[in-house]
């Protein structure tokens, strides 16, 4: 069909079918303008919106609201984007050519309307796909389709987390059955000792990048296996290993059936490490190679990113589970049970050791990296026993620090501000330091005003959400009315949102409630807090911390000044990171491998107040944010917590609050604004996903694909 003959509805349908729209604020705005109330109601899902409205109403509405030009413009821009050939990748990743990187991850957080992520790992994977698309890197994502997602969070009247699950309808999501080169639907099979598991495969288009999602909800499976992929991180160890053989082994098979020959296999975290074993099997079969050579060849083209700085956080499986699920593959590889188990053990012959997915990943890849400089040190120390003959700093685990996808996280209003001072094509060159330097020329008044606008928007949004939460709990009308005026748009606003895992210490600041009461109820320099975050359904200590936060939000003087917003997701994250003044991050060092939410915040002009852990340990320079503590840790957890809590309150009262409230005759906090600019200038170029993906290409993908080698940074 020629473009001219397409109706607006056709064009919108095509746009809605590729998640490219989700990082184009102008295109998102077009969908919203079709019917703002429905847009919210339908979870920002254009396919559902178009389905509900129908072609006639869409055409009518487009005429009424004068949307023709914007729709045509969006459609043209999308085609230009898809067809562009002069990308960074064309120049720097040519060796990948017809053999893309296959990027495996258990979760992908691309947009709130496709809820197949739980937190940072997923959002990182989503940002990786988007930047790869923008940069023109040949890459295909491989994951699982969780038909019930992670879960929807609400709190009961006592602040205890409730989880609800709803079935997603693939028909109303931006995905279609993946196809073989002959146009047939893709179905793969993974054998276990207790029978085969089948999966169909969906294809999601993320700009120029494809994402394949395996889904066991097919007739041929048993009732139990049909539900196998329904929930992310749900079920027991057996569910877990069955999901992981699907992701790893099934994922490699799906690529093969589709005729995609990867030049690089990238395992994002250990969940997908079985991919290495299946790749070895294919190699042995295709090239009639013995196991050892096939292992060497596979490792040479494989890359592993580790994310977990504590031994307990790594997936481990018993010999029985491994035998049941990997046995058939091990037979084909010619591996005895002991040899197989040895691949997942630090000491291959130690029969007391469980099978660890990270150990397997390290053994089937030649290039491995941690996700921040400090995490690199921690990871080399943790895995030093794998190579007892090597000194710790020679352990071959480098680091590539995580970054965030700028177009996804930067507020449209901030972008327009940057457009005025940054070079013309800055948007396509966010990984270059020079590009960000002119941020210093931003007018202090305009920057502050823009920030204040975004902050007001966040506060309005938070009030609405609180009212909705209260209605759900059947609160009285007067309570609901009161919630319409919580938070003060002039007060220093601190955001804290992340998974409620205990090491993130959401309640750290409550250790000295007396001092906090004073700070919150100050007449002239008040501070206020917005909290959000989910606990894993099985994490009772995490849920208790959440409940503690909830109880604080109900007590005077915190009520209305400390609030909790439920069901943290990408949408809520976007509002928060674009609207707060300060982003609080106080994990127990060194347990935060990187963290990325603080990077989203700095782009939007907020300041980080953070423990020197993860990315912040290498980002903080003394005047681009605030540091809690000095990076010292204590073996005694209680002592470390007490020290950090004390330092947090000290920095807050002595540095953060005074700087925020010190105003000039125009009521501008000049010192604060200088820090905002300094954060953007010194950090914007380093902690973004374009820079991260470029690092992966140069340091991992190109060498792994057989291009010029390059030593991974330590
Ligand atoms: C960015 C993001 C995260 C990751 O935050 P951390 O800083 O790594 O804790 C988690 N969840 C959502 C929804 C996000 O957008």
């Amino acid at each position: 069909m020629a473009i001219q003959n397409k109706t607006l509805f056709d064009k919108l349908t095509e746009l809605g079918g590729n998640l490219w729209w989700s990082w184009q604020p102008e295109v998102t705005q077009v969908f919203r303008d079709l019917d703002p109330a429905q847009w919210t109601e339908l979870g920002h899902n254009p396919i559902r919106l178009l389905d509900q409205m129908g072609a006639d109403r869409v055409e009518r509405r487009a005429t009424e609201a004068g949307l023709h030009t914007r729709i045509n413009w969006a459609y043209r821009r999308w085609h230009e984007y898809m067809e562009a050939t002069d990308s960074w990748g064309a120049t720097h990743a040519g060796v990948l050519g017809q053999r893309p990187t296959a990027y495996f991850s258990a979760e992908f957080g691309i947009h709130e309307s496709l809820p197949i992520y739980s937190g940072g790992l997923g959002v990182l994977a989503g940002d990786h796909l988007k930047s790869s698309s923008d940069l023109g890197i040949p890459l295909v994502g491989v994951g699982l389709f969780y038909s019930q997602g992670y879960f929807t969070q609400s709190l009961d009247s006592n602040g205890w987390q409730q989880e609800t699950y709803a079935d997603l309808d693939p028909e109303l999501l931006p995905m279609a059955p993946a196809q073989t080169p002959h146009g047939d639907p893709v179905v793969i099979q993974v054998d276990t000792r207790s029978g085969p598991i089948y999966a169909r495969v969906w294809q999601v288009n993320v700009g120029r990048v494809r994402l394949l999602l395996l889904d066991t909800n097919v007739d041929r499976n048993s009732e139990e296996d049909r539900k196998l992929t329904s929930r992310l991180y749900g079920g027991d160890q057996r569910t877990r290993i069955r999901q992981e053989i699907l992701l790893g082994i099934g994922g490699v098979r799906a690529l093969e059936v589709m005729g995609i020959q990867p030049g690089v296999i990238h395992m994002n975290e250990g969940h997908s490490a079985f991919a290495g074993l299946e790749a070895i099997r294919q190699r042995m079969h295709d090239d009639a190679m013995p196991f050892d050579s096939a292992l060497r060849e596979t490792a040479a083209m494989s890359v592993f990113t580790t994310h977990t700085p504590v031994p307990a956080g790594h997936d481990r499986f018993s010999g029985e589970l491994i035998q049941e699920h990997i046995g058939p593959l091990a037979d084909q590889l010619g591996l005895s049970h002991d040899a197989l188990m040895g691949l997942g053990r630090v000491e291959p012959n130690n029969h007391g050791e469980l099978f660890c997915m990270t150990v397997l990943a390290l053994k089937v890849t030649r290039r491995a990296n941690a996700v921040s400089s400090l995490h690199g040190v921690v990871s080399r120390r943790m895995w030093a026993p794998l190579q007892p003959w090597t000194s710790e700093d020679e352990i071959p685990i480098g680091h590539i620090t995580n970054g965030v996808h700028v177009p996804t996280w930067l507020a449209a209003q901030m972008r327009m501000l940057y457009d005025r001072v940054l070079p013309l094509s800055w948007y396509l060159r966010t990984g270059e330091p020079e590009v960000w330097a002119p941020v210093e020329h931003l007018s202090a008044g305009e920057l502050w005003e823009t920030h204040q606008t975004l902050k007001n928007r966040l506060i309005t949004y938070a009030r609405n959400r609180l009212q909705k939460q209260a209605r759900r709990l059947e609160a009285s009308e007067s309570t609901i009315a009161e919630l319409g005026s919580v938070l003060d748009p002039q007060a220093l606003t601190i955001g804290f949102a992340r998974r409620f895992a205990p090491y993130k210490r959401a309640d750290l600041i409550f250790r000295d409630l007396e001092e906090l009461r004073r700070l919150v109820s100050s007449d002239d320099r008040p501070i206020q807090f917005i909290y959000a975050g989910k606990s894993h359904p099985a994490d009772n200590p995490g849920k208790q911390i959440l409940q503690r936060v909830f109880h604080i939000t109900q007590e005077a003087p915190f009520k209305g000044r400390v609030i909790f917003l439920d069901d943290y997701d990408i949408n809520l994250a976007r509002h928060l990171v674009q609207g707060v003044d300060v982003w609080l991050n106080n994990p127990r060092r060194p347990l935060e491998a990187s963290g990325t939410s603080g990077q989203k915040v700095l782009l939007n002009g907020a300041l980080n107040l953070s423990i020197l852990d993860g990315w912040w340990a290498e980002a903080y320079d003394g005047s681009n944010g605030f540091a809690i503590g000095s990076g010292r840790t204590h073996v005694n957890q209680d002592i470390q917590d007490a020290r950090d809590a004390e330092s947090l309150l000290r920095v807050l009262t002595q540095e953060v609050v005074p700087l925020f409230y010190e105003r000039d005759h125009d009521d501008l906090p000049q010192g604060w604004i200088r820090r905002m600019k300094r954060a953007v200038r010194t950090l914007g170029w380093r902690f973004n996903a374009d820079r991260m993906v470029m690092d992966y290409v140069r340091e991992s993908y190109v060498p792994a694909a057989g291009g010029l080698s390059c030593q991974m940074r330590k």
Side-chain angles (χ1 to χ4, degrees), residues 225-537:
D225 281 341
R226 291 189 67 155
K227 297 202 193 92
L228 183 55
T229 50
S230 63
R231 295 180 184 179
L232 170 58
Y233 305 144
D236 55 11
Q237 285 291 93
R238 192 154 185 279
T239 309
R240 186 74 165 228
I241 193 171
R242 289 169 88 78
Q243 287 191 345
E244 294 187 1
I245 60 172
L246 270 167
L247 176 63
I249 301 171
V252 171
R253 293 202 178 148
L255 292 168
E256 188 187 26
V257 175
M258 290 180 71
I260 300 170
Q261 261 207 323
V264 178
I265 293 175
H266 185 173
M267 301 164 197
N268 185 43
E269 191 53 309
H271 309 119
S272 57
F274 293 135
L277 298 181
E278 171 62 12
I280 293 169
R281 186 197 61 81
Q282 285 187 2
R283 197 66 191 243
M284 289 169 69
H285 177 265
D286 294 348
D287 299 337
M289 260 185 200
F291 177 82
D292 286 341
S293 323
L295 168 61
R296 223 173 14 253
E297 299 278 311
T298 301
M301 63 175 281
S302 299
V303 176
F304 170 50
T305 300
T306 178
H307 292 263
T308 313
V310 272
H314 299 259
D315 269 334
R316 284 186 173 79
F317 297 115
S318 69
E320 292 80 59
L321 281 178
I322 289 292
Q323 188 47 236
E324 180 186 350
H325 293 97
I326 306 297
L329 180 56
D331 293 346
Q332 290 179 282
L333 298 174
L335 294 178
S336 67
H337 181 69
D338 280 349
L340 172 63
M341 288 301 289
L343 288 172
R345 286 179 180 147
V346 175
E347 295 170 52
N349 298 319
N350 178 355
H351 289 255
E353 233 186 285
L354 293 174
F355 186 99
C356 175
M357 294 301 281
T358 306
V359 173
L360 175 65
L362 288 166
K363 290 188 183 184
V364 295
T365 58
R366 182 175 305 159
R367 286 172 184 79
N369 69 279
V371 291
S372 71
S373 172
L374 178 61
H375 181 226
V377 175
V378 171
S379 299
R380 286 189 288 280
R381 185 173 313 146
M382 182 159 43
W383 298 113
L386 270 177
Q387 296 192 2
W389 59 90
T390 311
S391 77
E392 197 171 291
D393 54 355
E394 293 292 315
I395 294 293
I397 302 176
H399 80 272
I400 291 177
T401 305
N402 288 342
V404 296
H405 184 244
V406 176
T408 295
W409 297 105
L410 182 63
Q413 292 90 328
M414 286 301 286
R415 181 187 165 173
M416 290 194 289
L417 208 55
Y418 291 164
D419 280 345
R420 295 207 211 135
V421 295
L422 301 191
L424 211 51
S425 57
W426 75 272
Y427 220 51
L428 304 174
R429 297 165 48 204
T430 56
E432 301 170 30
E434 315 77 64
V435 166
W436 294 85
V439 157
E440 295 294 348
H441 305 317
L442 282 176
S443 131
E446 281 176 338
L447 178 56
W448 191 246
E449 197 182 300
T450 305
H451 170 64
Q452 195 59 46
T453 305
L454 290 164
K455 183 171 164 185
N456 287 334
R457 193 182 69 159
L458 166 62
I459 290 177
T460 305
Y461 179 77
R463 289 170 177 167
N464 286 336
R465 270 187 85 128
L466 277 179
Q467 290 181 318
K468 263 193 213 146
Q469 283 171 215
R471 273 201 197 96
R472 223 179 308 123
L473 289 176
E474 293 168 357
S476 70
E477 277 311 311
S478 64
T479 306
I480 293 172
E482 272 169 36
L483 291 172
S485 59
V486 301
L487 302 176
D488 171 0
Q490 299 309 318
L492 172 60
T493 304
I494 300 179
F496 183 103
R498 44 186 56 82
R499 288 180 304 112
F500 268 66
Y503 80 87
K504 295 193 185 240
R505 299 188 296 189
D507 57 348
L508 187 72
I509 200 165
F510 304 146
R511 280 180 81 109
D512 184 349
L513 279 182
E514 209 37 61
E515 178 70 357
L516 194 64
R517 270 188 206 106
R518 204 182 57 71
L519 283 166
V520 163
S521 42
S522 158
D523 284 334
D524 54 340
R525 299 178 155 198
I527 65 174
Q528 57 193 9
F529 292 85
I530 306 180
Y531 283 87
K534 295 176 175 177
S535 264
H536 184 276

Side-chain angles (χ1 to χ4, degrees), residues 134-171:
D134 288 348
L135 292 166
I137 312 300
L139 184 134
V140 47
V142 182
L144 299 179
F145 175 62
Y146 305 102
S147 58
Q148 297 190 328
Y150 188 45
F151 65 87
T152 301
Q153 178 199 51
S154 58
L155 301 191
D156 67 15
S157 55
N158 196 23
W160 193 252
Q161 174 175 293
Q162 308 293 312
E163 297 103 23
T164 47
Y165 297 87
D167 282 307
L168 298 166
D169 181 354
E171 294 278 319

Side-chain angles (χ1 to χ4, degrees), residues 117-121 123 404 409 497-499 503-504 568-571 573-574 583 585 592 594-598 600 615:
Y117 61 93
S118 79
L121 183 73
V123 172
V404 296
W409 297 105
R498 44 186 56 82
R499 288 180 304 112
Y503 80 87
K504 295 193 185 240
Y568 185 46
D569 70 352
I570 288 177
N571 177 39
R574 211 183 306 108
W583 195 247
N585 177 42
E592 192 64 83
S594 169
T596 53
S597 51
K600 303 165 190 169
W615 77 284

Side-chain angles (χ1 to χ4, degrees), residues 205-221:
N205 294 319
V206 186
R208 295 185 276 208
V209 158
R210 284 180 289 182
L211 168 61
L212 306 178
L213 298 176
L214 279 69
D215 174 6
T216 58
N217 187 12
V218 294
D219 294 339
R220 291 165 86 177
N221 279 332

Side-chain angles (χ1 to χ4, degrees), residues 1 27 432 532 605 677:
M1 187 161 33
V27 189
E432 301 170 30
K677 290 187 188 177

